[in-house]
Amino acid sequence: MLEVRNLACMRGDRRLFADLDFALEPGELLYVHGHNGSGKTTLLRTLCGLIRPEAGEVLWQGEDIRGLREDFTREVLYLGHKNGIKGDLNGLENLQVASVLDGFPISEQQAWDALERIGLDGHEDLETKLLSQGQQRRVALARLLVNRARLWVLDEPFTALDKDAVALLQTVIRGHLGGGGMVVLTTHQEVALTDGEARRLKLGWRH
């Protein structure tokens, strides 16, 4: 279980939000939304331990993530605005390198299978700098198909995806939730996944 207690975060000298409390159980999706600058990305990065909050704590299975270190990082997969891929590597190489860094090494065949499923069949061995923005995003999202982390933290995962890719990603996320995984995401796009079946958290701290 992921739990947030009395969380407050700053950007420069401006407080983004304070006294934030929520818990996320296996099988649950939390949709974080709010106006631009409300702190959505800051919250997501804080949940992953990438940003230290001004106050409060983030707990994983009842323990502060700051004390868990690698034991927590293996349990969380973060995909941010940037794809985090290397342009001089192809899709296969990017996915295998990312899997090693995530702590879940995969074979070349597993990488082929994941990239094919995510819609990159025929483009797996091209340097990613030669791919379109949507194809590069698919390379990054292929990590979701091979990673065994229980908590997915996804910042605008549908960006640059076409209709078919959006539908596929929603299917992948639903499969993760159905297997007892947890998801926290933001999106500016209207998708069925966040309409009715997700818990919602609206940020909007204003002075």
Side-chain angles (χ1 to χ4, degrees):
M1 181 178 74
L2 178 72
E3 187 177 2
V4 167
R5 294 179 181 172
N6 302 315
L7 199 68
C9 284
M10 304 281 292
R11 179 186 293 142
D13 60 355
R14 184 171 74 90
R15 178 171 289 166
L16 296 171
F17 51 81
D19 301 322
L20 194 61
D21 293 279
F22 66 84
L24 197 64
E25 301 281 353
E28 289 187 329
L29 182 148
L30 179 66
Y31 169 39
V32 180
H33 61 115
H35 60 80
N36 290 340
S38 60
K40 299 185 295 293
T41 293
T42 296
L43 173 59
L44 266 57
R45 290 176 61 83
T46 302
L47 296 180
C48 298
L50 300 174
I51 294 178
R52 191 181 184 92
E54 176 200 13
E57 55 188 352
V58 179
L59 306 176
W60 177 254
Q61 308 291 41
E63 297 187 50
D64 194 310
I65 63 172
R66 288 174 292 187
L68 292 173
R69 299 181 181 273
E70 291 83 4
D71 289 336
F72 174 67
T73 57
R74 282 193 298 268
E75 298 279 10
V76 59
L77 173 59
Y78 173 68
L79 288 179
H81 288 279
K82 297 182 179 180
N83 291 320
I85 59 178
K86 296 185 179 297
D88 57 346
L89 299 181
N90 63 34
L92 288 167
E93 294 164 338
N94 267 290
L95 186 53
Q96 287 190 286
V97 168
S99 297
V100 170
L101 295 175
D102 288 339
F104 304 103
I106 60 172
S107 67
E108 183 174 322
Q109 186 59 55
Q110 287 175 304
W112 276 104
D113 292 343
L115 291 170
E116 181 178 3
R117 184 183 172 197
I118 207 69
L120 282 170
D121 190 22
H123 299 86
E124 301 93 338
D125 55 355
L126 288 177
E127 292 183 354
T128 55
K129 64 186 177 184
L130 302 176
L131 301 178
S132 69
Q133 287 188 344
Q135 290 169 330
Q136 290 180 22
R137 192 60 171 169
R138 288 178 188 240
V139 172
L141 292 170
R143 289 173 61 196
L144 301 176
L145 302 178
V146 297
N147 192 289
R148 297 193 294 275
R150 286 187 285 174
L151 173 63
W152 291 358
V153 180
L154 312 177
D155 198 353
E156 298 292 341
F158 302 103
T159 297
L161 297 182
D162 58 27
K163 182 178 179 181
D164 290 341
V166 168
L168 173 60
L169 178 55
Q170 290 187 88
T171 298
V172 171
I173 292 174
R174 288 192 182 100
H176 182 63
L177 296 171
M182 291 163 275
V183 177
V184 181
L185 67 79
T186 67
T187 178
H188 284 102
Q189 296 175 242
E190 292 292 330
V191 294
L193 192 68
T194 60
D195 184 16
E197 59 187 272
R199 295 177 54 192
R200 290 172 172 257
L201 173 64
K202 183 174 182 179
L203 299 180
W205 176 272
R206 294 183 184 275
H207 297 289

